[in-house]
């Protein structure tokens, strides 16, 4: 019975993501960090009222499905008609070029042009989709816990060492599980790596070997974990490159400091409410700077769709300036639309006093990112690097590898990915 249930679940998952075969049907695979699933459904309902000949099915799935199952479906020439994804460059060959299909390509170039390279094959001028939001990695501090412990929140240019030292004092005073946590993600530790001088991209555009900058931060992270300062379960409770966020640990006040990103703001606001005060902190500094990593989630059209015209019509609607503005305001995400940003006047849909200052802090931090970080979103091999980092660093934390072994295995993992792609 268990095997039968597993088989049925696999079949259901496959059907869930299959492109619509009937004219007028569009399936969207969607994941949420916060309230954006509810917001996009509302916007799509409005579209369907205006376009009764098009039926849109929104499949809300876990982020793990997007990261692990969708690539497999795409490789077999299947998948949804539209998907919300973060692995946007590596999978770019699977996206549909909307340039000949959208009503006004110049509008897309003007308003999304600075991020279109993130989601299309190198050398292409394709319009494959748009960023539903811009994101930036960065930290959050439980202001209430810091105040109760009598520990000052570190200032703007505080280093990683200073932040962890302060958070450790809070954790000891308040008898917390750990001082801090970073999401289990190679992406999440890449801004800190760059802050210590890391550069993943070689002179030839191919992956460079693990350098001293990466080693400088990862060695700290491993030591902090061994010393009980980093919440160990976040990284060792999963295998391979599986993503695990520590947001709930922060929400439940188990850690005073949490390094994740701007996409968590709506989630934290919803779950924390008035339980405690929290602030966004930007990224702590290393020896090279105080850099986070920009990115975001893109809504892309899948080239295996059988309903290209309908998909283009849906994408045109969701990319409209007024729709992007409303989506941003209601989801508390930073917009990636040039017109919306230029006009300003965003009215964040929140009564939470913590949200506005948090968004402002991330806007400020976005001007402090380093060039080695800014190059990563449009780099084809970024996800290969992220995956190797999280897999091997987790094994070091679990006592399965030494750091010296990990460096060699990270380089080999990445080389294997390159060879496999060729």
């Amino acid at each position: 019975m268990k095997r039968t249930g597993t088989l049925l679940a696999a079949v259901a998952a496959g059907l869930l993501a299959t492109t619509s075969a009937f004219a007028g049907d569009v399936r969207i695979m969607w994941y949420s960090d916060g309230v954006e699933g509810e917001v996009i459904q509302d916007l799509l309902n409005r579209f369907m009222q205006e376009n009764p000949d098009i039926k849109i099915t929104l499949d809300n799935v876990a982020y793990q499905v997007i990261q692990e199952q969708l690539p497999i479906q795409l490789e077999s020439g299947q998948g949804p008609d539209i998907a919300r994804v973060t692995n946007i460059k590596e999978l770019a060959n699977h996206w549909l070029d909307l340039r000949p299909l959208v009503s006004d390509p110049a509008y897309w170039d003007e308003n999304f042009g600075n991020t279109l390279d993130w989601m299309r094959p190198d050398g292409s001028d394709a319009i494959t989709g748009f960023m539903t939001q811009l994101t930036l990695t960065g930290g959050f501090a439980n202001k209430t816990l810091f105040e109760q412990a009598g520990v000052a929140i570190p200032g703007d240019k505080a280093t990683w060492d200073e932040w962890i030292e302060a958070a450790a004092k809070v954790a000891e005073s308040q008898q917390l599980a750990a001082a801090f946590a970073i999401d289990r993600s190679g992406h999440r530790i890449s801004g800190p790596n760059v802050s210590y001088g890391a550069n993943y991209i070689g002179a030839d555009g191919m992956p460079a070997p693990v350098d001293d900058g990466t080693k400088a931060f990862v060695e700290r992270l491993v030591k902090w974990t061994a010393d009980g300062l980093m919440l160990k379960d976040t990284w060792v409770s999963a295998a391979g490159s599986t993503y695990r966020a520590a947001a709930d640990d922060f929400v439940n006040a188990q850690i005073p400091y949490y390094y994740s990103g701007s996409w968590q703001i709506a989630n934290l606001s919803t779950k924390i409410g008035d339980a405690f005060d929290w602030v966004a902190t930007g990224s702590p500094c290393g020896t090279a700077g105080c850099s986070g990593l920009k990115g975001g989630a893109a809504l892309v059209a899948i080239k295996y769709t059988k309903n290209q015209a309908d998909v283009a019509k849906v994408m045109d609607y969701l990319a409209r300036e007024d729709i992007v503005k409303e989506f941003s305001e209601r989801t508390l995400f930073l917009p990636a639309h040039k017109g919306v940003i230029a006009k300003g006047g965003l009215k964040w849909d929140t009564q939470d006093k913590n949200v506005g200052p948090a968004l402002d802090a991330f806007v400020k931090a976005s001007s402090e990112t380093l060039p080695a970080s800014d190059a990563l979103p449009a780099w084809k091999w970024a996800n290969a690097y992220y995956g190797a980092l999280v897999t091997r660093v987790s094994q070091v934390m679990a006592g399965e590898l030494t750091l010296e072994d990990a460096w060699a295995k990270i380089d080999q993992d990445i080389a294997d990915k390159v060879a496999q792609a060729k």
Side-chain angles (χ1 to χ4, degrees):
M1 288 295 292
K2 184 176 181 180
R3 290 181 62 191
T4 301
T6 302
L7 177 61
L8 289 173
V11 172
L15 290 174
L16 177 75
T18 301
T19 53
S20 298
F22 301 101
D25 285 355
V26 175
R27 297 194 78 96
I28 302 177
M29 181 184 282
W30 185 272
Y31 81 92
S32 294
D33 289 308
V35 300
E36 64 268 34
E38 303 164 23
V39 174
I40 197 70
Q41 184 66 70
D42 182 40
L43 296 173
L44 292 173
N45 289 344
R46 207 181 304 168
F47 173 88
M48 287 187 283
Q49 289 177 353
E50 299 171 4
N51 301 273
D53 56 324
I54 298 178
K55 177 189 175 185
I56 303 172
T57 301
L58 186 71
D59 295 320
N60 284 285
V61 301
Y63 183 65
Q64 189 171 344
V65 173
I66 299 288
Q67 287 293 85
E68 298 178 8
Q69 295 183 26
L70 179 60
I72 296 172
Q73 294 162 357
L74 294 174
E75 286 297 332
S76 64
Q78 301 180 43
D81 300 291
I82 299 171
R84 185 179 187 229
V85 297
T86 56
N87 189 358
I88 51 181
K89 189 68 173 185
E90 185 178 346
L91 299 174
N93 288 327
H94 298 290
W95 310 151
L96 173 68
D97 184 4
L98 295 165
R99 186 172 290 279
L101 300 167
V102 293
S103 59
D104 185 3
Y107 167 86
W108 285 75
D109 289 333
E110 171 66 20
N111 290 291
F112 301 108
N114 60 346
T115 57
L116 287 178
D117 272 345
W118 295 8
M119 63 192 88
R120 62 189 176 195
D122 289 340
S124 167
D125 72 342
I127 295 172
T128 60
F130 67 96
M131 304 300 292
T132 58
Q133 81 269 18
L134 283 179
T135 61
L136 179 66
T137 58
F140 299 94
N142 184 320
K143 183 180 178 184
T144 300
L145 283 174
F146 271 84
E147 290 174 345
Q148 289 174 346
V151 177
I153 291 179
D156 282 348
K157 298 300 180 181
T159 65
W160 271 99
D161 293 336
E162 289 167 340
W163 262 105
I164 303 312
E165 181 182 356
K169 291 177 181 177
V170 176
E172 182 179 4
S173 168
Q174 303 301 300
Q175 298 183 319
L176 304 177
F180 79 110
I182 298 179
D183 291 338
R184 188 184 194 274
S185 162
H187 173 278
R188 218 68 79 243
I189 64 173
S190 290
N193 287 348
V194 169
S195 295
Y196 281 88
N199 183 12
Y200 298 171
I201 306 175
D204 59 355
M206 299 302 290
V210 172
D211 59 19
D212 290 342
T214 296
K215 292 177 181 179
F217 181 74
V218 170
E219 286 169 357
R220 281 172 165 80
L221 187 62
V222 168
K223 185 177 188 304
W224 288 329
T225 304
D227 292 343
L229 298 176
M230 217 282 279
L231 198 62
K232 186 175 182 179
D233 280 354
T234 305
W235 279 68
V236 302
S237 62
S241 59
T242 300
Y243 172 75
R244 185 185 186 282
D248 287 344
D249 300 293
F250 185 76
V251 166
N252 294 326
Q254 295 300 302
I255 49 174
Y257 187 63
Y258 173 40
Y259 193 83
S260 185
S262 59
W263 59 90
Q264 292 286 3
I265 290 176
N267 183 44
L268 298 183
S269 177
T270 299
K271 292 183 176 178
I272 294 171
D274 58 2
F276 59 83
D277 290 334
W278 51 275
V279 295
T281 68
S283 286
C285 300
T287 53
C290 319
S291 188
L293 178 59
K294 293 175 182 174
L299 196 66
V300 293
I302 309 299
K303 71 179 184 181
Y304 310 116
T305 179
K306 298 175 177 62
N307 298 319
Q308 291 188 4
D310 295 331
V311 165
K313 194 169 184 178
V314 173
M315 294 292 284
D316 260 338
Y317 167 78
L318 293 174
R320 264 173 31 192
E321 183 172 320
D322 60 320
I323 297 298
V324 171
K325 182 174 185 290
E326 181 180 344
F327 179 83
S328 302
E329 290 173 334
R330 293 174 64 183
T331 57
L332 309 180
F333 285 147
L334 304 178
H337 185 293
K338 183 178 178 180
V340 173
I341 296 169
K343 292 178 182 176
L346 287 162
K347 299 176 181 177
W348 306 114
D349 185 11
T350 179
Q351 302 299 315
D352 189 335
K353 64 181 181 179
N354 300 304
V355 167
L359 288 166
D360 293 340
F362 273 102
V363 171
K364 177 179 180 296
S366 69
S367 66
E368 300 173 350
T369 54
L370 294 170
S373 172
D374 292 340
L376 292 175
W379 186 47
K380 179 179 181 179
W381 306 109
N383 280 295
Y385 224 111
Y386 302 153
L389 279 170
V390 69
T391 299
R392 300 309 182 180
V393 173
S394 295
Q395 289 180 313
V396 175
M397 291 176 177
E400 299 171 4
L401 282 180
T402 66
L403 272 170
E404 285 306 312
D405 288 339
W407 306 140
K409 288 186 178 296
I410 288 170
D411 288 339
Q412 188 60 55
D413 289 348
I414 297 168
D416 290 345
K417 282 284 188 181
V418 173
Q420 184 180 17
K422 289 182 178 179

